[in-house]
Amino acid sequence: MNRWLGVGLAAVLAAMTLTLAATGRLGLYLNPDSTWFAVAMAVVVLIGAILTFALPLGAEDEHGHDHGTHRRRPIGAAVTAIGGIAASVLVLTALVTPPASLSAELAMSRDIDAPPLFAGADAVALATTGDTASFGVGEWATVFATSTNPDAYDGDPVTLTGFVTPGDTSFDLTRLVITHCVIDAQPASIPVEAGEAAPDTGQWVEITGTVRASADGQLSIVAESIERIDEPGDPYEY
């Protein structure tokens, strides 16, 4: 049991990491910039697991002197067994569950109606130069939330991809932005004004339109076209 809990579960997780990397699906869990580190650590774990399993069963517990007086208490053994079963179920469930991106429902549950934390002055400064062609939903969400001169962006053309969430205008265009992995995923949303009925919540769309500043200084995207699309292979921004 001890060997399975320690080395066995670690080896299973390492093998799963390498499989996801080989099939191009590790990006559903990690920032691509961290892929090399995750793969390297998985290789180290697997090598260690192979060396450990090469030892005779129980050899890792031998220290060259008698521990016969130190018996495992029944309660401790029961706790170890319960923990082992729980950990095994968790790891094996992760192993057989198909990889999937985080849902629109999760994005809405994490939306606290606050400016994004993953970007700041750099995005706003770049936007003032008009160099916004590479901006995603995350950068525009920062600009929309923190700009002190909304008129500077009025008329900027945009083509953006995201999924639909409810908003104060027609709907919000949303993406999940991750820094390291999906655990720290944060939603970024920008309001969209459309001349047609809003697509269903969670529907992925590509929007072409223009940034507009209202009389009270609020920014939004006026959509010229809304194309319903399938979820992209890389559903996050970084």
Side-chain angles (χ1 to χ4, degrees):
M1 175 63 79
N2 287 338
R3 182 172 290 190
W4 166 249
L5 287 179
V7 181
L9 294 180
V12 170
L13 289 174
M16 183 171 64
T17 299
L18 293 177
T19 300
L20 289 171
T23 56
R25 295 177 295 174
L26 192 57
L28 293 175
Y29 300 98
L30 293 175
N31 187 318
D33 291 340
S34 301
T35 296
W36 68 270
F37 180 78
V39 170
M41 290 301 98
V43 170
V44 170
V45 169
L46 281 180
I47 292 174
I50 292 171
L51 294 176
T52 299
F53 276 108
L55 292 172
L57 189 63
E60 65 271 24
D61 294 327
E62 296 178 359
H63 304 289
H65 53 85
D66 185 18
H67 287 278
T69 58
H70 299 284
R71 304 285 186 181
R72 178 177 294 174
R73 296 180 178 179
I75 294 178
V79 171
T80 299
I82 293 172
I85 293 172
S88 299
V89 169
L90 181 63
V91 171
L92 294 176
T93 298
L95 184 64
V96 301
T97 302
S101 62
L102 300 180
S103 65
E105 289 75 14
L106 178 65
M108 290 185 289
S109 70
R110 292 189 180 183
D111 188 359
I112 58 174
D113 197 26
L117 300 176
F118 40 77
D122 290 345
V124 176
L126 188 61
T128 59
T129 68
D131 187 14
T132 59
S134 63
F135 273 24
V137 174
E139 287 89 356
W140 277 118
T142 298
V143 172
F144 280 27
T146 61
S147 174
T148 58
N149 183 21
D151 290 338
Y153 315 107
D154 189 75
D156 282 5
V158 295
T159 299
L160 296 168
T161 299
F163 55 84
V164 173
T165 55
D168 295 331
T169 56
S170 297
F171 61 90
D172 283 350
L173 184 68
T174 301
R175 289 291 287 266
L176 283 163
V177 181
I178 66 176
T179 303
H180 300 292
C181 65
V182 293
I183 294 175
D184 60 39
Q186 300 177 66
S189 299
I190 51 178
V192 176
E193 298 179 17
E196 59 186 80
D200 294 337
T201 296
Q203 171 66 53
W204 280 84
V205 294
E206 182 179 82
I207 291 178
T208 300
T210 306
V211 177
R212 290 300 181 197
S214 65
D216 59 358
Q218 299 298 311
L219 291 168
S220 62
I221 303 295
V222 176
E224 297 166 5
S225 69
I226 301 174
E227 180 183 357
R228 290 164 174 79
I229 61 173
D230 294 331
E231 178 181 301
D234 187 358
Y236 306 122
E237 291 184 357
Y238 308 96

